[in-house]
Amino acid sequence: MFIDTHCHFTDEAFGPDADTALERALDAGVGIMIQADVSSKERDGMLAFTRRHPGVVYAMAGLYPGSVGADYLEELDLAHKAACEEGIVAIGEIGLDYHYGNEMAREQMEAFKVQLELAARMSLPVNIHLRDATEDFFKVLDSCRGLALRGNLHAFSTSAEVFRRLLRYGDFYVGIGGVVTFKNAKVARELEEIPADRILLETDAPYLAPVPLRGTRNESANIPLIAAKVAEIKHLDINEIESVTSANAKKLFNNISK
């Protein structure tokens, strides 16, 4: 059984087709899918979809860095409430993203720290989004030393050296998605240096579909395509990648039941 550790079934790209897409994933051997949270605007729908598919779909709660705005303190309170009430399996997706500018850098850093502290209090892993903000990311982690953090770098696109640096702060994994299949993808080279027992599979569906489906709507059913590329890079059989990545996911997200 494959596990998709990061997807968005209630993104508008799915619409009424979300349940059909879920069935396609199950038919492809993807037995567990974990939905990432973005903000209160999508949370109710995301949680409702999770409840409709118990034991198959699980949910995170958190404030995505791209959703950090003037109302971020209110949004953090709502994410906290959801985390306490909804049986979620991680705090995420949280982190820093300066790709389109750093005007909200201070607020993003504060929101990230608050949510790391929440995860530590609740003994939950964190699902981290990091883009063009590496040094501020480690500044926040420095301020959270001693929290016994664990989690994963979603949509891993940085270097193996950055990942090794992250391991100084806790028990972390990398989430590998469709980008690893792209021609000349840097992540494919960096993955050579990361042990298989630190790798998770994800789609980020509906985004970042793997080759040969690049440019189309991504789905959890595409996890085997990603797994095949990871197996090629790690010189392992795809069944070994299926086994080790699923074991990694169950160890990290220890509230998933299968």
Side-chain angles (χ1 to χ4, degrees):
M1 180 187 68
F2 291 107
I3 297 176
D4 184 354
T5 60
H6 190 115
C7 55
H8 301 269
F9 274 103
T10 45
D11 187 277
E12 61 183 9
F14 282 106
D17 191 35
D19 290 289
T20 305
L22 176 65
E23 290 301 320
R24 282 192 289 269
L26 293 171
D27 290 343
V30 184
I32 290 177
M33 288 144 271
I34 305 176
Q35 296 197 103
D37 194 12
V38 175
S39 73
S40 63
K41 293 178 182 177
E42 295 184 19
R43 188 173 297 126
D44 286 348
M46 185 266 293
L47 292 172
F49 187 82
T50 300
R51 294 186 203 106
R52 285 209 310 274
H53 302 283
V56 174
V57 180
Y58 294 83
M60 309 180 202
L63 180 62
Y64 168 67
S67 298
V68 172
D71 62 345
Y72 79 101
L73 293 176
E74 178 183 352
E75 282 286 342
L76 288 174
D77 286 341
L78 292 171
H80 185 179
K81 181 180 179 182
C84 293
E85 295 178 356
E86 294 291 344
I88 57 96
V89 299
I91 302 298
E93 65 187 279
I94 66 175
L96 302 177
D97 189 333
Y98 298 169
H99 185 70
Y100 298 106
N102 62 357
E103 294 81 6
M104 299 295 289
R106 180 187 64 81
E107 292 86 352
Q108 283 194 27
M109 291 174 73
E110 182 176 350
F112 184 34
K113 181 177 180 180
V114 166
Q115 293 181 100
L116 290 174
E117 292 169 342
L118 173 63
R121 288 197 305 273
M122 297 187 70
S123 297
L124 289 170
V126 290
N127 183 263
I128 296 172
H129 174 109
L130 174 60
R131 194 179 188 193
D132 298 339
T134 300
E135 293 311 312
D136 277 357
F137 172 70
F138 283 110
K139 286 179 184 177
V140 175
L141 288 176
D142 280 333
S143 71
C144 294
R145 283 190 179 275
L147 288 185
L149 296 171
R150 58 193 179 95
N152 73 298
L153 275 179
H154 146 66
F156 178 69
S157 61
T158 183
S159 67
E161 177 54 38
V162 167
F163 179 64
R164 286 190 289 267
R165 186 177 170 188
L166 176 60
L167 288 175
R168 301 171 194 165
Y169 297 87
D171 184 16
F172 286 95
Y173 298 76
V174 296
I176 303 299
V179 173
V180 76
T181 69
F182 295 178
K183 186 177 180 180
N184 299 321
K186 176 188 173 186
V187 65
R189 298 189 298 274
E190 298 296 332
L191 194 58
E192 294 176 3
E193 299 184 37
I194 296 176
D197 64 3
R198 289 286 151 182
I199 296 172
L200 305 174
L201 300 179
E202 62 167 70
T203 57
D204 201 14
Y207 310 104
L208 302 172
V211 173
L213 303 172
R214 188 175 182 181
T216 67
R217 185 185 75 184
N218 202 4
E219 295 188 4
S220 293
N222 296 330
I223 280 284
L225 294 174
I226 299 165
K229 184 62 177 182
V230 174
E232 175 188 324
I233 293 167
K234 303 304 293 179
H235 306 290
L236 295 170
D237 184 86
I238 190 170
N239 293 325
E240 293 178 271
I241 291 299
E242 178 182 9
S243 177
V244 72
T245 58
S246 293
N248 294 343
K250 289 176 182 179
K251 181 179 177 183
L252 179 62
F253 302 102
N254 56 343
N255 289 338
I256 60 179
S257 61
K258 287 189 180 180

